């Protein structure tokens, strides 16, 4: 196992998900990819076609904060656990974005949280076209969230 993707939906769950990935990465000398999927970039021309300006400014500010948070987690994990880590904010559909990164980065394992009413859990268990697990063709570690 060389690449582990940690899909973070909520800040409150990130530490638990990352700790599972760190434990596995230490055993296998794997790189960890911490990702958060967000809405399309508000600077995109198509995203600006409708809606008040303050909505775009708020999205841009939120996105900057999310990016800084992911980068800080990656930096802290690398420093504290001596594992290779990269943090990324990805824009678009959660399923498509995860699939794309899995393919591009040769991900061997996806670590994601699951809660009965959690968005990420719902995406992994109910996909209209095809189950994400089958589509990815790699293992998924679903970590129960409190």
């Amino acid at each position: 196992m060389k690449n582990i993707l940690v899909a973070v939906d909520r800040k409150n769950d990130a530490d638990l998900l990352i700790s599972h990935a760190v434990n596995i990465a230490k055993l296998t000398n794997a790189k960890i990819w911490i990702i958060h999927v967000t809405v399309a970039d508000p600077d995109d021309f198509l995203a600006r076609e409708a809606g008040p300006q303050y909505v775009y400014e708020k999205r841009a500010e939120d996105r900057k904060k999310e990016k800084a948070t992911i980068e800080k987690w990656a930096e802290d994990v690398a420093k504290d656990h001596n594992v290779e880590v990269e943090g990324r904010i990805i824009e678009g559909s959660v399923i498509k974005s995860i699939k794309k990164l899995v393919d591009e980065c040769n991900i061997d394992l996806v670590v994601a949280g699951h809660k009965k009413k959690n968005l990420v859990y719902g995406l992994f268990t109910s996909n209209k076209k095809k189950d994400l697990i089958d589509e990815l063709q790699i293992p998924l570690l679903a970590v129960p969230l409190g």
Side-chain angles (χ1 to χ4, degrees):
M1 187 167 304
K2 295 295 178 197
N3 291 290
I4 301 169
L5 185 146
V6 181
V8 177
D9 185 29
R10 297 175 352 143
K11 290 180 184 181
N12 296 344
D13 303 325
D15 289 338
L16 178 62
L17 298 173
I18 292 169
S19 71
H20 282 286
V22 166
N23 290 335
I24 296 167
K26 285 182 175 181
L27 293 172
T28 62
N29 199 29
K31 178 177 181 178
I32 298 173
W33 300 79
I34 302 171
I35 68 154
H36 175 71
V37 181
T38 187
V39 296
D41 189 348
D43 295 332
D44 181 3
F45 177 74
L46 294 176
R48 291 183 165 267
E49 285 185 2
Q53 182 64 33
Y54 74 88
V55 171
Y56 303 112
E57 291 169 359
K58 173 82 169 105
R59 270 194 211 154
E61 184 63 31
D62 289 347
R63 191 165 173 267
K64 286 178 187 175
K65 288 178 185 176
E66 290 168 347
K67 183 177 183 199
T69 299
I70 295 290
E71 288 172 351
K72 176 78 168 121
W73 286 335
E75 180 182 308
D76 290 349
V77 169
K79 184 174 62 173
D80 295 345
H81 300 286
N82 197 30
V83 293
E84 188 177 357
V85 184
E86 185 170 330
R88 287 191 183 180
I89 294 289
I90 300 173
E91 299 172 13
S93 156
V94 173
I95 294 172
K96 287 179 183 177
S97 298
I98 290 173
K99 171 76 171 125
K100 182 178 179 185
L101 193 61
V102 163
D103 293 341
E104 287 177 0
C105 300
N106 298 315
I107 301 295
D108 301 298
L109 172 70
V110 174
V111 177
H114 98 78
K115 199 180 222 182
K116 192 170 187 176
K117 294 183 180 180
N118 182 298
L119 173 63
V120 174
Y121 174 73
L123 292 171
F124 283 108
T125 58
S126 60
N127 182 345
K128 293 178 182 177
K129 293 185 178 177
K130 190 172 184 184
D131 188 22
L132 181 60
I133 297 169
D134 291 340
E135 188 173 327
L136 292 179
Q137 298 291 313
I138 63 169
L140 166 69
L141 174 59
V143 178
L145 303 172

